[in-house]
């Protein structure tokens, strides 16, 4: 088991003929991801990725002719919202949107639509999701991952890699690692992922990596306090970030109240999550928790 | 992206909202002319002279002056123009006033507050109003939260009239003032939606002695990611209000924010960049900047990153922390070597490279002959860079 994606996921790549779609499409194929289709409007009928993947004009066509049930989106920001909605309307269950820079007003509407239609959206502005040795749906360096029993949830791409690397160094592999994205509005929240990992029999412990801005970490922690039986280790980036400045991610901005790193760390701790004060301690802390748990 | 009060008011007027009008001067020799034009065009003797900077709290800082006649207006204009305005939002160093807005004056009966922004946790826009206008809304929220009325807007429906009515009633309005406020609130939402704003704030929205509702101030922030569809708004960007180094960095697609410490850092990814700053602090140092070189760091990006970090004289040491995913460490290493050779670094550089092609990268660095301190893991890297920065 794992969460959201596995070896049976049938993947369609939206924006497959663009440079990102081509590069990462090939990487995903190499990892063993079951890519059944690509979509680029106007290029239907071609074959791509070394002639191994058929290209369609629409997601609807791709779904009806290949049975695709999972999509990954590499289209430019002005068209990303439309691509997500297209996937949802075509009946795709899990949509991963890698695109960075999707306008917030677009995402507010998209979020409402995917929630109503019960489409699972991951991202946008995220590194994607990987179920180790089964399905890579994203842009992460998969060679750092190792199969195991830890779930990883992170707002940030490279911090996800850092955490995975540390876990592997202390001998802990992963079930699924998921980058949920650093934008103010994202499809799948930290709490959603915790819930999925709690219900996954193969996952025994979870690492959550948050940052300044928003309330997502706090919502996840409060949920965990009453619902989680598995150990959770947390880290919050941005302890030194000045208020009012957007730190790279559109969502990473301290606007007063509970969204500082300090406040989040305190609340996570109060909710029984073990908080790593230093980013370098994430792996060790998880290891300690796993040993204590037996 | 932020805009000035006068620019926000221009946008508001385009959406049919009644604003306190005026003209801007950017050179002191035009002050007289502008004051006289405002007096003539708006048939008023008294005017308000308002400093235009992006930070709030201008009035308290002495940047907004009521002027009963021409002489006092000119005096105020001379004082405000070029002044270093310090407010609770500018920090101690303040912001130089390079534009001054001269406006008509109103007799104020009541001051209200109105604002729209995104409520991230609900995934909906929230429209809030308060009878306590003209003061810091944070204070109102803390001390008398019952005086703030909020409605949440369904993104698929937009704001409905009954919601606007609820807000206008909460302001205690009736008659023509109520009708006028209703229209203004609806237009304000339309403006927020149509311009891809992230904040639209009017503080204060006033009721005049003769029962008119007027927008007296404007604050608008826009979604940078949506500026591609708002060329007119993108053109309103005022580079004088931004840190020149940050503007320079932006040209090379580097995300740079200057801070006050002495340990420069260059990192790929926003989250890792923040975590790097944090661990520098934990190791006893102070980060000099946030710098995310992004997902496509090349030798050229690294070189520009170095140049920008080094233009900050406080920097005593640099930490490069790259976790290669799409970014290839060997390319970064080549960039580091090239930059060191070309720029002739006189501060120590600690390098930590992990991920894609990290092995090759370490080899490139060790064989290059440039003096670089290699580090393994973030803790080691932070410890080393802080040590050399302090020595």
């Amino acid at each position: 088991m794992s969460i959201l994606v596995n070896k049976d996921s049938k993947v369609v790549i939206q924006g497959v003929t663009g440079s990102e779609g081509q590069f990462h499409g090939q990487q995903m194929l190499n990892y063993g991801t079951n890519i059944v289709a690509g979509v680029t409007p106007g290029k239907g009928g071609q074959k791509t990725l070394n002639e191994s993947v058929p290209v369609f004009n629409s997601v609807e066509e791709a779904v009806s002719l290949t049975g695709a049930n999972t999509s990954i989106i590499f289209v430019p920001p002005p068209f990303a919202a439309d691509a997500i909605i297209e996937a949802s309307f075509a009946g795709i269950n899990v949509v991963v949107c890698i695109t960075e820079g999707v306008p917030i007003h677009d995402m507010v509407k998209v979020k409402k639509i995917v929630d109503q239609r019960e489409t699972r959206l991951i991202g946008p502005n995220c590194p994607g999701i990987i179920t180790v040795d089964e399905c890579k749906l994203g842009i992460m360096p998969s060679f750092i991952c190792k199969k195991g029993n830890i779930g990883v949830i992170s707002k940030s791409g490279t911090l996800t890699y850092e955490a995975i690397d540390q876990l592997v160094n202390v001998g802990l592999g992963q079930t699924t690692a998921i980058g949920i994205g650093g934008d103010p509005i994202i499809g799948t929240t930290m709490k959603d992922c915790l819930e999925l990992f709690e219900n996954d029999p193969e996952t025994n412990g979870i690492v959550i990596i948050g940052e300044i801005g928003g309330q997502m970490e706090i919502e996840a922690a409060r949920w965990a306090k009453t619902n989680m039986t598995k150990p959770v280790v947390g880290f919050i980036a941005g302890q030194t970030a000045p208020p009012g400045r957007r730190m790279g991610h559109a969502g990473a901005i301290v606007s007063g109240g509970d969204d500082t790193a300090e406040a989040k760390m305190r609340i996570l701790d109060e909710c029984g999550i073990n908080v790593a004060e230093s980013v370098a301690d994430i792996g060790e802390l998880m290891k300690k928790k796993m040993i204590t748990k037996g | 992206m932020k805009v000035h009060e006068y620019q926000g008011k221009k946008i508001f007027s385009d959406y049919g909202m009644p604003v306190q009008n005026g003209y801007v001067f950017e050179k002191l020799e035009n002050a007289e002319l502008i004051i006289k034009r405002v007096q003539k065009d708006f048939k008023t003797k008294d005017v308000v002279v308002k400093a235009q900077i992006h930070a709030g709290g201008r009035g308290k800082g002495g940047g907004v002056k009521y002027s009963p006649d021409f002489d006092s207006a000119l005096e105020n204009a001379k004082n405000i123009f070029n002044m270093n305005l310090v407010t609770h939002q500018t920090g101690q160093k303040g912001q130089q006033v390079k534009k001054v807005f001269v406006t008509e004056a109103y007799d104020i009966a009541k001051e209200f507050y109105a604002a729209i922004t995104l409520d991230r946790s609900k995934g909906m826009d929230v429209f809030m109003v308060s009878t306590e206008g003209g003061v810091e809304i944070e204070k109102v929220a803390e001390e008398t939260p019952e005086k703030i009325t909020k409605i949440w807007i369904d993104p698929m429906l937009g704001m409905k009239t009954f919601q606007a009515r609820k807000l206008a009633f909460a302001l205690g309005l009736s008659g023509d003032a109520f009708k006028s406020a209703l229209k203004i609130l609806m237009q304000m939402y339309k403006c927020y939606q149509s311009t891809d704003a992230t904040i639209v704030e009017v503080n204060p929205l006033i009721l005049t002695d003769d029962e008119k509702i007027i927008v007296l101030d404007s604050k608008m922030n826009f979604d940078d990611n949506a500026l591609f569809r708002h060329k007119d708004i993108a053109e309103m960007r005022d580079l004088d209000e931004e840190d020149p180094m940050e503007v320079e960095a932006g040209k090379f697609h580097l995300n740079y924010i200057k801070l006050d410490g002495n340990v420069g850092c260059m990192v790929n990814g926003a989250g890792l960049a923040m975590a790097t700053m944090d661990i520098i602090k934990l190791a006893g140092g102070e980060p000099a900047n946030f710098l995310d070189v992004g997902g496509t760091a090349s030798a050229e990006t690294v070189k520009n990153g170095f140049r920008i970090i080094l233009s900050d004289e406080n920097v005593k040491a640099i930490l490069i922390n790259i976790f290669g995913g799409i970014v290839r460490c060997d390319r970064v290493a080549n960039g580091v070597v090239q930059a060191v050779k070309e720029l002739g670094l006189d501060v120590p550089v600690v390098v930590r490279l992990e991920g894609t092609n990290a092995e090759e990268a370490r080899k490139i660095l060790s064989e290059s002959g440039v003096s670089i301190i290699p580090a393994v893991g973030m803790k080691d890297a932070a410890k080393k860079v802080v040590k050399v920065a302090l020595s």
Side-chain angles (χ1 to χ4, degrees), chain A residues 104-105 238 240 245 251 281, chain B residues 120 197 223 229 246 278 379:
Chain A
I104 299 176
H105 283 259
T240 50
R245 300 303 308 269
D281 297 337
Chain B
R120 287 169 67 165
D223 180 0
R229 54 192 179 203
E246 293 176 16
D278 296 347
K379 196 171 273 176

Side-chain angles (χ1 to χ4, degrees), chain B residues 292-305:
Chain B
D292 172 11
V293 295
T296 48
S298 62
E300 199 59 26
T301 356
V302 171
K303 211 172 76 184
N304 286 317

Side-chain angles (χ1 to χ4, degrees), chain B residues 18 22 45 66 78 106 126 132 140 168 176 191 217 232 235-236 243 247 255 272 280 306 312 349:
Chain B
K45 189 177 166 212
Y66 171 74
K78 282 177 180 166
Y106 282 97
V126 58
E132 308 300 295
V140 181
D176 285 345
C191 172
D217 195 4
D232 51 336
E235 279 171 15
M236 291 181 180
D243 184 291
V247 174
N255 202 332
L272 191 62
I280 287 170
F306 260 116
D312 175 357
V349 179

Side-chain angles (χ1 to χ4, degrees), chain A residues 78 101 103-106 108 112 143 156 158-159 161-162 214 238-240 242 245-248 251 277-279 281, chain B residues 120 123 154-155 192 196-197 223 225 229 246 255 257 259 268-269 271-272 277-279 282 290 352 355-356 378-379:
Chain A
I104 299 176
H105 283 259
D106 290 3
V108 171
K112 179 95 181 175
F143 69 90
S156 140
T158 40
L159 265 184
Y161 316 158
E162 178 70 35
Q239 297 168 44
T240 50
R245 300 303 308 269
R246 166 180 153 173
M247 306 303 276
E277 196 191 348
S278 163
V279 62
D281 297 337
Chain B
R120 287 169 67 165
D154 185 305
Y192 172 84
D196 276 291
D223 180 0
N225 291 335
R229 54 192 179 203
E246 293 176 16
N255 202 332
I257 293 172
L259 303 167
N268 67 325
L272 191 62
M277 287 158 47
D278 296 347
I279 201 168
L282 278 176
F290 167 94
R352 183 266 180 148
T356 308
M378 284 180 69
K379 196 171 273 176

Side-chain angles (χ1 to χ4, degrees), chain A residues 60 63 73 91 168 172 184 191 266 280:
Chain A
E60 189 183 10
V63 168
I73 296 175
V168 171
L172 293 171
K191 186 211 112 191
R266 192 190 66 238

Side-chain angles (χ1 to χ4, degrees), chain B residues 1-8 51-58 85 87 89-90 94-99 201 217-222 236-243:
Chain B
M1 193 191 93
K2 295 177 180 175
V3 295
H4 289 293
E5 173 198 353
Y6 77 93
Q7 294 167 317
Q52 299 293 289
I53 60 168
H54 282 174
R58 291 170 295 154
L85 184 51
T87 81
Q89 285 186 7
T90 59
Q95 177 71 35
Q96 199 189 9
V97 178
K98 294 189 170 172
K99 293 186 175 76
E201 185 183 79
D217 195 4
S218 85
K219 176 181 172 180
M220 294 191 85
N221 291 358
F222 301 95
M236 291 181 180
R237 183 171 173 196
D238 184 352
L239 295 178
D240 284 343
E241 295 285 323
E242 298 176 33
D243 184 291

